[in-house]
Amino acid sequence: MGATPSSHEHIEKYKYAEKKMPYRSEKLIISKSEKKTLDQWIESSLEAKDVENDKEEWSPTEKPVKVIFDTDIGTDVDDALALLFLLHLPKSEVELMGVTTVYGHTNLRAKVASAILDAYQENSGSDSQIPVFAGEGIPIGTHRPVWHTGTEGVGLFDLKQIDEMKLVDPGLPKDRYKAAKFIVETVNEHPGDIVLIGLGALTNIAIALKMDPNLPKLVKVRIQGFSS
């Protein structure tokens, strides 16, 4: 089981993050040592997959599938519907451990997720408290500006509230890694039992991997995302 690091100061901002390049011409610039680390992660993930394939499949009814929902919720309706669908699955089959938000105004996205969770709990009578963590807003390894539609939070909050939420900098050191830290700690508390669903940029997952390179052996990852 991987140990949860007590300090994450060694994780630095992507050194070429401020470099500007024409749209769709960007490339990931990494050193030989960084590429070696990336190759090791991929190899560990493939080894974990081989081990998983050798095991007998377990039925979700035997114990609830524990899920971490990593999302850029709030821009389009798709992630909100996915979260609602997840919440309405039988509790005997799925247990939502927490929600982490990624990409751009992650604090605003966290407020959107929290509003959905609050509405669900009020209408379902559920007393379970599902934690929500605002994660990293700046993708790793891209030179493309963060893109927002400008409709994030509209309909749930008034414009003044939305502007205030946007003022919270997701890149502040004290907040920057709390979503990734939650992923690492939860996976290590339940090794082999967590399904990590990534529906947005994979930045939180990438940071979590850097915090604990052993993570691929402990978690099942399902993604719908195309950047890190």
Side-chain angles (χ1 to χ4, degrees), residues 69 96-100 114 117 121 128-133 182 186:
F69 192 82
L96 181 57
M97 304 297 289
V99 177
T100 54
S114 293
L117 291 172
Q121 290 169 344
S128 61
Q129 297 298 314
I130 300 169
V132 179
F133 297 90
F182 169 76
T186 306

Side-chain angles (χ1 to χ4, degrees), residues 49-187:
K49 185 176 181 181
D50 290 340
V51 172
E52 180 181 330
N53 290 338
D54 290 339
K55 296 179 181 177
E56 294 184 3
E57 292 188 4
W58 51 271
S59 170
T61 58
E62 293 178 6
K63 59 178 179 179
V65 178
K66 293 178 173 59
V67 172
I68 297 174
F69 192 82
D70 187 65
T71 173
D72 60 352
I73 195 168
T75 298
D76 293 314
V77 72
D78 52 350
D79 286 22
L81 291 175
L83 179 57
L84 284 168
F85 180 81
L86 187 63
L87 289 168
H88 282 83
L89 290 174
K91 298 300 177 285
S92 59
E93 295 186 10
V94 174
E95 178 183 2
L96 181 57
M97 304 297 289
V99 177
T100 54
T101 60
V102 69
Y103 191 75
H105 297 303
T106 57
N107 183 64
L108 173 55
R109 298 190 191 282
K111 296 293 185 182
V112 171
S114 293
I116 292 173
L117 291 172
D118 290 345
Y120 167 76
Q121 290 169 344
E122 181 179 347
N123 286 280
S124 67
S126 171
D127 58 358
S128 61
Q129 297 298 314
I130 300 169
V132 179
F133 297 90
E136 177 58 84
I138 303 171
I140 300 170
T142 183
H143 314 294
R144 186 182 302 176
V146 173
W147 178 80
H148 297 94
T149 63
T151 59
E152 290 81 7
V154 174
L156 289 174
F157 314 106
D158 61 44
L159 297 182
K160 182 179 179 181
Q161 288 176 310
I162 291 173
D163 287 340
E164 290 173 351
M165 294 173 192
K166 289 179 179 179
L167 290 176
V168 178
D169 182 2
L172 288 174
K174 63 186 176 72
D175 295 323
R176 188 175 178 190
Y177 302 127
K178 60 184 178 182
K181 183 179 179 182
F182 169 76
I183 291 172
V184 171
E185 291 178 345
T186 306
V187 169

Side-chain angles (χ1 to χ4, degrees), residues 187-205:
V187 169
N188 277 278
E189 287 173 6
H190 306 277
D193 291 335
I194 298 290
V195 175
L196 175 54
I197 299 176
L199 294 182
L202 306 179
T203 320
N204 289 332
I205 298 175

